């Protein structure tokens, strides 16, 4: 598995946790090594079925 795939899976899990209200978007962005704005873009581009 490539690093990009691993990152995509990790981001998907973080998006899922934010959508369920288990972590804040700020916490998820920090865990992902992104700014909140960058993580918001990841969330916008992650379909609900993907998580």
């Amino acid at each position: 598995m490539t690093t990009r795939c691993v990152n995509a899976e990790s981001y998907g899990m973080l998006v899922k946790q934010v959508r369920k209200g288990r972590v804040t978007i700020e916490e998820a962005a920090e865990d992902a090594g992104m700014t909140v704005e960058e993580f918001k873009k990841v969330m916008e581009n992650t379909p609900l079925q993907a998580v």
Side-chain angles (χ1 to χ4, degrees), residues 4 8 12 19 21 34 38 43-44 49:
R4 187 175 186 165
R19 287 184 175 155
M34 299 178 171
E38 289 170 330
M43 287 189 68
E44 290 170 5
Q49 304 91 325

Side-chain angles (χ1 to χ4, degrees), residues 19 46-51:
R19 287 184 175 155
T46 303
L48 291 174
Q49 304 91 325
V51 292

Side-chain angles (χ1 to χ4, degrees), residues 24-38:
T24 66
I25 194 166
E26 292 83 5
E27 292 169 326
E30 183 179 335
D31 288 349
M34 299 178 171
T35 66
V36 172
E37 290 303 316
E38 289 170 330

Side-chain angles (χ1 to χ4, degrees), residues 10-32 36 39 43:
S10 297
Y11 297 157
M13 290 300 295
L14 287 169
V15 168
K16 182 177 182 178
Q17 297 303 310
V18 171
R19 287 184 175 155
K20 287 187 172 192
R22 294 184 177 155
V23 297
T24 66
I25 194 166
E26 292 83 5
E27 292 169 326
E30 183 179 335
D31 288 349
V36 172
F39 193 78
M43 287 189 68

